[in-house]
Amino acid sequence: MNRLPTRFTVDPPAAYARTAVFALGAQSALALAYLVATDAGLAAPRTLAIPFVWITVAAVGVRHADRPASSRSVLALAGLVGAGYAIVLGWFTGTVGLSSGAAAGLDVVLLPPWWGPMVRFDGAVVSLFLFPYRVVGYAALAYLVSLAVRDVAAYGASAGVGGVIALGSCASCALPVVAAVASAVGGAGVGLGAAPAAAGGTYLIATVAYVLSVAVLTVRPSAAG
């Protein structure tokens, strides 16, 4: 008989704080090394903070999410669902798209830390616009969604309530980003130096929705006993 979800998986606040502090320290060290080694500059504090929030939240979520035991077949299915979800998010936000039809090529743009180094690839079939913080954030969401799928397999459909809520909020977080991405990286021929300048209301709304999505997926209901 499938067990019903009876509690939320919440760690002590100090544990979340330790992970966040460690993640911020590691990001700061890497950002400093990046600035020293390249000609990349800084951005306005609010713009610069957005990637740090995404990556820190991703680290906390992945570190503290409950991991149900699963068979190999369930692990494979959960991985496919998580990867598919990340691709869908990438498609809605312009991170992944169809090729522009221009000459294939690879560019690396030295934007401020964690906005850059931004990798732009235009191939024969697909194009990619990879901001480091977004790659980390989507990878974390993909992993957390895969854990929600494992919950459903282990405890039944009732255990997926938290995952369903989070899936809805994650989808909503993609939509506000579309306008910002369109104005920042609009097409293969658009210069990317001004991308962080687009970190206005749409990016802030998307960041709030992203944080809520990771929180729901991290402390999703699980079965006791």
Side-chain angles (χ1 to χ4, degrees):
M1 180 181 295
N2 291 326
R3 293 172 288 177
L4 296 177
T6 57
R7 63 180 176 84
F8 287 91
T9 55
V10 181
D11 288 340
Y16 294 110
R18 284 194 298 269
T19 302
V21 169
F22 177 81
L24 282 170
Q27 291 173 76
S28 298
L30 290 172
L32 181 60
Y34 169 69
L35 290 171
V36 170
T38 69
D39 294 328
L42 294 174
R46 184 178 67 175
T47 299
L48 196 61
I50 288 175
F52 282 85
V53 171
W54 276 61
I55 296 173
T56 300
V57 169
V60 172
V62 170
R63 171 65 179 82
H64 295 282
D66 185 55
R67 297 164 176 78
S70 304
S71 65
R72 289 184 177 180
S73 59
V74 171
L75 287 173
L77 174 62
L80 288 174
V81 172
Y85 186 67
I87 292 172
V88 169
L89 281 179
W91 183 271
F92 276 124
T93 59
T95 301
V96 179
L98 295 177
S99 174
S100 66
L106 176 69
D107 284 330
V108 177
V109 184
L110 300 178
L111 299 177
W114 300 114
W115 289 91
M118 189 273 194
V119 176
R120 177 177 60 181
F121 172 76
D122 195 22
V125 179
V126 299
S127 62
L128 302 173
F129 297 93
L130 304 179
F131 295 99
Y133 83 91
R134 197 175 292 167
V135 172
V136 173
Y138 289 174
L141 283 174
Y143 176 69
L144 294 173
V145 167
S146 76
L147 294 182
V149 173
R150 289 164 60 180
D151 274 345
V152 173
Y155 307 126
S158 60
V161 173
V164 169
I165 295 172
L167 287 176
S169 58
C170 283
S172 69
C173 93
L175 298 179
V177 185
V178 173
V181 172
S183 62
V185 297
V190 177
L192 297 171
T202 51
Y203 274 91
L204 294 177
I205 292 170
T207 298
V208 171
Y210 168 77
V211 171
L212 291 175
S213 301
V214 172
V216 172
L217 282 166
T218 301
V219 300
R220 65 195 187 280
S222 65

